[in-house]
Amino acid sequence: MDKEERKTINQGQEDEMEIYGYNLSRWKLAIVSLGVICSGGFLLLLLYWMPEWRVKATCIRAAIKDCEVVLLRTTDEFRVWFCAKIRLLSLETHPFSSPKSIANKVSNGHAVHLTENPAEENRHELSKYSQTQSQEIRYFTHHSVKYFWNDTIHNFDFLKKLLYGVNEITVKVPSVFKLLIKEVLNPFYIFQLFSVILWCTDEYYYYALAIVIMSIVSIVSSLYSIRKQYVMLHDMVAAHSTVRVSVCRVNEEIEEIFSTDLVPGDVMVIPLNGTIMPCDAVLINGTCIVNESMLTGESVPVTKTNLPNPSVDIKGMGDELYNPETHKRHTLFCGTTVIQTRFYTGELVKAVVVRTGFSTSKGQLVRSILYPKPTDFKLYRDAYLFLLCLVAVAGIGFIYTIINSILNEVEVGVIIIESLDIITITVPPALPAAMTAGIVYAQRRLKKIGIFCISPQRINICGQLNLVCFDKTGTLTEDGLDLWGIQRVENARFLLPEENVCNEMLVKSQFVACMATCHSLTKIEGVLSGDPLDLKMFEAIGWILEEATEEETALHNRIMPTVVRPPKQLLPESTPAGNQEMELFELPAIYEIGIVRQFPFSSALQRMSVVARVLGDKKMDAYMKGAPEVIASLCKPETVPVDFEKVLEDFTKQGFRVIALAHRKLESKLTWHKVQNISRDTIENNMDFMGLIIMQNKLKQETPAVLEDLHKANIRTVMVTGDNMLTAVSVARDCGMILPQDKVIIAEALPPKDGKVAKINWHYADSLTQCSDSSAINSEAIPIKLVHDSLEDLQVTRYHFAMNGKSFSVILEHFQDLVPKLMLHGTVFARMAPDQKTQLVEALQNVDYFVGMCGDGANDCGALKRAHGGISLSELEASVASPFTSKTPSISCVPNLIREGRAALITSFCVFKFMALYSIIQYFSVTLLYSILSNLGDFQFLFIDLAIILVVVFTMSLNPAWKELVAQRPPSGLISGALLFSVLSQIIICIGFQSLGFFWVKQQPWYEVWHPHSDACNTTRSLYWNSSHLYNETELDEHNIQNYENTTVFFISSFQYLIVAIAFSKGKPFRQPCYKNYFFVVSVIILYVFILFIMLHPVASIDQVLQIVCVPYQWRVTMLIIVLVNAFVSIMVENFFLDMVLWKVVFNREKQGEYRFGATQPPQASVDPWGKCCLSWALGCRKKIPKAKYMYLAQELLVDPEWPPKPQTTTEAKALVKENGSCQIITIT
């Protein structure tokens, strides 16, 4: 394959794809058409299901530049194929964009200069290309995004680089007919159609009709739910998709247009009373207060300021590149609500459109919902394997039927129908409906406990979770922070902590002035709102905030400042400091501070600052607050206390959230207008350190108990937070994530600098006496102690890694081989950015953990989507990104979800096993009867399939989840020892007893080949016998349904279905016992009683319908004995031998090994003699390599003397590029 024929689009992004070019081939098309006709249309269906085959069968390879069709393949682990048709766009009818000043153009979402637009260059190149060759541009559409041929890079590229379509996020609701065709062409329904046609030719009309009705109900319900989801999404998007907006044209003219006509580069005017943003735009004038709950999940209003003007900035800042992520505090995102705006008179609040349509942040969210990534789960892969096995079994039956029929000289038509019929018996048509039932019931139960699910297939996957990541603030701890106190600094020394900030002594101090001004609070309809931390801080000082009204602002030629002032009761008693200042304080409430300019909080910078002025002062003040380490680094060193780090560490170790404050007087030459255009860096340096605010973040009441439940169930817990590292470690200890005796190793990774390689410094967080070098030496001896000594050493030497986001990034880049080791014991990840949270989830999944993520939706969207089971505790629209949303903002939903997931998973196994047994039992019944050229009757099939199978399948799925989480996990796939043994043992038992009945009946003294005049019962001719006789003679001779073998096989197999259902309906430890499933119990009892009744006490009319013949009473009792022995053997093998012996010896042994090695939290209760014996056996004798990577890794680390790293050591990355990722350990003395 030529390299030129394969390109990659969306390189380095989540939706990266390989692209191949093809042209239609007439001769290939002719051959395929012939094949379609010969196969009766089946080849056409096959090509419809397989886009790759379709393109390769009808097209030939071509250069991408000139192709007619493109074949796309995702580069992720799923390797999904798509095909798209190349279309042409005329340049004359679709101009690139209306002419606008280049300075106002901003490329659509790509990092480019604000002052120039590379898209212009593309445009000139393209116009050259179009003039010389063609007036048309080639493009294709995939997943709502248009890709245009870009001649400069010789590849297809996003529409946003070249052409801008209509600014609209269109969610087309497909017509019912279109959905119906798509649903009906599902392979499963095609198989059902084939089955129905076959049964009709064989005159099995009743059963065919039953299957048709079932399929119609299934299709209608499926269409209804799919269409309902489309309509919901369409309504959510369309509500504000087309609005009228004002845009600035040449000569500052304002023009009203529809939002659909907006293109990147348009200057949009934000109205006074706010609006819902129809696109992504960057503010260039004024400020806005925005509610971003649609995207972030936080309903807290955010203040957006205008983008700093590059031309005014010093130090060549004009070269800075605009990026929606970096400059998100200046960007108004599509779908967010602008609540309020502030502006200059005559200078409207303006924003430059940067992204439109599906390229916007909201568009990307909608695309991720419309085109979700496929979920890969072992259960579903195994289900296909299992079906293939059934098809193989059907193939054997197919061949056997043909040979047997030919030997018995049966007609060709009958041979074809009977041999195909055996396939429809082996692969049960009701299987998908049966498999879905358990998930639907679990979804309903979850809804009852307040957990809503938008991706039902994930419920099963949640049953496998063995690690859960938790966000800290708002998830493990309360949302709000309480002010614990302050610790001011005077003369570079800390004063004693103070609790009460609202007092007369401090009212005019710079410290309180900073608390009063350095925030992003605003009044919305008279109510103070904003960041909860800022609110608590402002409430603690008891000041009053006043904002200028629109009228006041209109009177002045500038934005009226927000003013803060202390309450009157704090001021009247205050006496002036000196006579010369008497005039200033003549009026009691004259002390006011105006906030002149605000630099909003940036998570990248970890700080915010404001410029303020005390009424009457000539000089302005700059106040700054943020992360203590950052603030201290921006202050004059002489103003930072010597013991700053120690004091900070003391507070953070106790779990307090610490914020530092700083201040400086600005030069008098800085005027109002200069301040409006000054850069942030000019203000935020050379500050005076003022002290610390200490906030308390209380644990939620239920957190410790929930985490303890998870630990008991051997589910690892990990904390992922944006907070300070030591605070996070402290909270992890408080909530029981890290036990008191456990060690915490902090990994501090430093990137390469000044020619030095990247390195990791290892620090032990606890400076306890027992954590000295001696304990580190002990840790080397763990493996030997485990085998020969006591397991208790395992408890003493448990350790956890903690690191911040920066270190995590460095480790991912430079220490690839350490990542899996750190994932095995990493418990606290602090100061993590949203994309780092997603990377962490991926890293954990790479070592084969099933990862759950629980967050409040604020900045966890990516991680919630990427995890196997993401649970959002926010009910806002951001929860659309998460498969599960909890109504109650509490982590108690996590164990509930896992319990329901486990119950649904076990239900899926039970149903699958039952359906497999049903297929095999019926297959064997039919095969036995085929050997005597007989079969089951139409109504016998109907009774088995409808009355027994459907009733049992839909009621056996109703078992609720077990009330608590247990330590063992259900197996993840069908192809596991315990499950295969269960199925195979039941198959052998059922075949054995069915064969026994079939052959034993022939040995009976009264047996003869049945004919209408047979009288094995030796009864006097009764009405029953006469009617039966007439019926036999007239209708049923040709099919040979009525005979002693058929009656025997029918009764024994009918009981076998119920026996197997009871044997497979397991309760503990994942589901409630089956006797609590009342519908199932009642259904089974009614069926048992009915079959027993018609077997022991024949009823003429029923026998006539079911085509059962009369057999002696003695044989009826014999059949009952066969059934009872069958029931005893089946239930003993399944519930005693399998559960008590095999499950404990094989399955539990694997799990014990897994928990000892893999989890960092083995429960203390499980350290028992059995566990000890089992573990030593596993370590000493067991040669089997565990399947999961993390288990295998844990085994290796147990015997690695260099792991965990010793205190005060450094690990360096090797300098050679080839060996990037390998490292050496150097001990620093």
Side-chain angles (χ1 to χ4, degrees), residues 483 485-488 498-502 506 509-521 533-543 545 564 593 595 610 623-625 659-662 690-695:
L483 187 83
I486 60 167
Q487 189 155 15
R488 292 184 297 133
E498 298 160 79
E499 266 185 57
N500 185 16
V501 196
C502 185
L506 295 173
S509 66
Q510 295 289 10
F511 194 95
V512 169
C514 183
M515 288 175 76
T517 56
C518 200
H519 54 69
S520 55
L521 299 178
L533 185 145
D534 288 349
L535 267 171
K536 283 281 180 198
M537 185 179 78
F538 194 75
E539 283 166 9
I541 56 169
W543 282 39
L545 180 134
V564 289
I593 305 174
I595 302 166
V610 291
Y623 296 107
M624 178 167 65
K625 79 163 198 276
I659 293 146
L661 305 184
M690 287 202 300
L692 306 171
I693 297 176
I694 299 110
M695 314 286 280

Side-chain angles (χ1 to χ4, degrees), residues 760-834:
I760 307 173
N761 296 325
W762 307 99
H763 310 288
Y764 278 50
D766 315 277
S767 51
L768 302 170
T769 47
Q770 60 262 42
C771 290
S772 60
D773 288 340
S774 60
S775 65
I777 294 161
N778 285 346
S779 67
E780 284 187 35
I782 298 172
I784 305 148
K785 286 196 172 185
L786 277 174
V787 180
H788 301 293
D789 206 70
S790 157
L791 266 175
E792 285 166 22
D793 295 310
L794 188 68
Q795 307 276 292
V796 178
T797 49
R798 284 212 342 237
Y799 56 93
H800 304 260
F801 288 108
M803 67 194 77
N804 61 24
K806 284 179 186 170
S807 296
F808 180 68
S809 291
V810 172
I811 291 166
L812 274 186
E813 193 178 341
H814 299 282
F815 297 90
Q816 285 284 310
D817 63 332
L818 279 185
V819 174
K821 294 180 182 182
L822 292 170
M823 290 305 105
L824 202 64
H825 290 279
T827 302
V828 174
F829 295 86
R831 296 270 188 243
M832 296 286 273

